[in-house]
PDB file of all heavy atoms in Angstrom:
ATOM      1  N   ALA A  11      51.667 -54.188 -95.505  1.00 36.00           N
ATOM      2  CA  ALA A  11      51.816 -53.570 -94.186  1.00 36.00           C
ATOM      3  C   ALA A  11      50.443 -53.259 -93.606  1.00 36.00           C
ATOM      4  O   ALA A  11      50.188 -53.484 -92.424  1.00 36.00           O
ATOM      5  CB  ALA A  11      52.649 -52.306 -94.290  1.00 36.00           C
ATOM      6  N   ARG A  12      49.569 -52.747 -94.457  1.00 42.00           N
ATOM      7  CA  ARG A  12      48.219 -52.458 -93.965  1.00 42.00           C
ATOM      8  C   ARG A  12      47.559 -53.743 -93.462  1.00 42.00           C
ATOM      9  O   ARG A  12      46.904 -53.745 -92.429  1.00 42.00           O
ATOM     10  CB  ARG A  12      47.353 -51.887 -95.086  1.00 42.00           C
ATOM     11  CG  ARG A  12      47.691 -50.463 -95.444  1.00 42.00           C
ATOM     12  CD  ARG A  12      46.946 -50.112 -96.734  1.00 42.00           C
ATOM     13  NE  ARG A  12      47.518 -48.952 -97.373  1.00 42.00           N
ATOM     14  CZ  ARG A  12      47.269 -47.712 -96.994  1.00 42.00           C
ATOM     15  NH1 ARG A  12      46.460 -47.500 -95.979  1.00 42.00           N
ATOM     16  NH2 ARG A  12      47.824 -46.703 -97.618  1.00 42.00           N
ATOM     17  N   GLU A  13      47.746 -54.812 -94.220  1.00 45.00           N
ATOM     18  CA  GLU A  13      47.158 -56.082 -93.797  1.00 45.00           C
ATOM     19  C   GLU A  13      47.737 -56.527 -92.474  1.00 45.00           C
ATOM     20  O   GLU A  13      47.019 -57.004 -91.598  1.00 45.00           O
ATOM     21  CB  GLU A  13      47.406 -57.157 -94.858  1.00 45.00           C
ATOM     22  CG  GLU A  13      46.471 -57.032 -96.050  1.00 45.00           C
ATOM     23  CD  GLU A  13      46.903 -57.935 -97.187  1.00 45.00           C
ATOM     24  OE1 GLU A  13      47.500 -58.983 -96.904  1.00 45.00           O
ATOM     25  OE2 GLU A  13      46.663 -57.564 -98.354  1.00 45.00           O
ATOM     26  N   ALA A  14      49.047 -56.350 -92.341  1.00 43.00           N
ATOM     27  CA  ALA A  14      49.690 -56.756 -91.094  1.00 43.00           C
ATOM     28  C   ALA A  14      49.123 -55.956 -89.934  1.00 43.00           C
ATOM     29  O   ALA A  14      48.863 -56.483 -88.858  1.00 43.00           O
ATOM     30  CB  ALA A  14      51.200 -56.565 -91.196  1.00 43.00           C
ATOM     31  N   ALA A  15      48.915 -54.661 -90.168  1.00 43.00           N
ATOM     32  CA  ALA A  15      48.363 -53.819 -89.107  1.00 43.00           C
ATOM     33  C   ALA A  15      46.970 -54.282 -88.741  1.00 43.00           C
ATOM     34  O   ALA A  15      46.621 -54.395 -87.570  1.00 43.00           O
ATOM     35  CB  ALA A  15      48.332 -52.363 -89.563  1.00 43.00           C
ATOM     36  N   ALA A  16      46.189 -54.585 -89.766  1.00 45.00           N
ATOM     37  CA  ALA A  16      44.826 -55.052 -89.513  1.00 45.00           C
ATOM     38  C   ALA A  16      44.846 -56.369 -88.744  1.00 45.00           C
ATOM     39  O   ALA A  16      44.077 -56.559 -87.803  1.00 45.00           O
ATOM     40  CB  ALA A  16      44.087 -55.223 -90.835  1.00 45.00           C
ATOM     41  N   ALA A  17      45.746 -57.252 -89.152  1.00 48.00           N
ATOM     42  CA  ALA A  17      45.833 -58.548 -88.483  1.00 48.00           C
ATOM     43  C   ALA A  17      46.204 -58.370 -87.020  1.00 48.00           C
ATOM     44  O   ALA A  17      45.627 -58.999 -86.131  1.00 48.00           O
ATOM     45  CB  ALA A  17      46.867 -59.432 -89.187  1.00 48.00           C
ATOM     46  N   ALA A  18      47.158 -57.496 -86.777  1.00 45.00           N
ATOM     47  CA  ALA A  18      47.583 -57.275 -85.394  1.00 45.00           C
ATOM     48  C   ALA A  18      46.452 -56.663 -84.577  1.00 45.00           C
ATOM     49  O   ALA A  18      46.225 -57.041 -83.432  1.00 45.00           O
ATOM     50  CB  ALA A  18      48.799 -56.367 -85.355  1.00 45.00           C
ATOM     51  N   THR A  19      45.723 -55.746 -85.197  1.00 45.00           N
ATOM     52  CA  THR A  19      44.598 -55.134 -84.492  1.00 45.00           C
ATOM     53  C   THR A  19      43.576 -56.199 -84.124  1.00 45.00           C
ATOM     54  O   THR A  19      43.101 -56.255 -82.992  1.00 45.00           O
ATOM     55  CB  THR A  19      43.925 -54.070 -85.372  1.00 45.00           C
ATOM     56  OG1 THR A  19      44.928 -53.187 -85.857  1.00 45.00           O
ATOM     57  CG2 THR A  19      42.904 -53.301 -84.571  1.00 45.00           C
ATOM     58  N   ALA A  20      43.295 -57.047 -85.099  1.00 49.00           N
ATOM     59  CA  ALA A  20      42.329 -58.108 -84.839  1.00 49.00           C
ATOM     60  C   ALA A  20      42.816 -58.999 -83.701  1.00 49.00           C
ATOM     61  O   ALA A  20      42.041 -59.367 -82.819  1.00 49.00           O
ATOM     62  CB  ALA A  20      42.110 -58.942 -86.104  1.00 49.00           C
ATOM     63  N   ALA A  21      44.097 -59.298 -83.725  1.00 48.00           N
ATOM     64  CA  ALA A  21      44.651 -60.155 -82.687  1.00 48.00           C
ATOM     65  C   ALA A  21      44.476 -59.508 -81.318  1.00 48.00           C
ATOM     66  O   ALA A  21      44.137 -60.169 -80.344  1.00 48.00           O
ATOM     67  CB  ALA A  21      46.136 -60.423 -82.958  1.00 48.00           C
ATOM     68  N   VAL A  22      44.702 -58.206 -81.268  1.00 46.00           N
ATOM     69  CA  VAL A  22      44.587 -57.508 -79.997  1.00 46.00           C
ATOM     70  C   VAL A  22      43.148 -57.528 -79.510  1.00 46.00           C
ATOM     71  O   VAL A  22      42.869 -57.833 -78.359  1.00 46.00           O
ATOM     72  CB  VAL A  22      45.072 -56.050 -80.134  1.00 46.00           C
ATOM     73  CG1 VAL A  22      44.805 -55.300 -78.847  1.00 46.00           C
ATOM     74  CG2 VAL A  22      46.534 -56.022 -80.459  1.00 46.00           C
TER      75      VAL A  22
END
Side-chain angles (χ1 to χ4, degrees):
Chain A
R12 286 169 198 280
E13 282 169 29
T19 309
V22 174

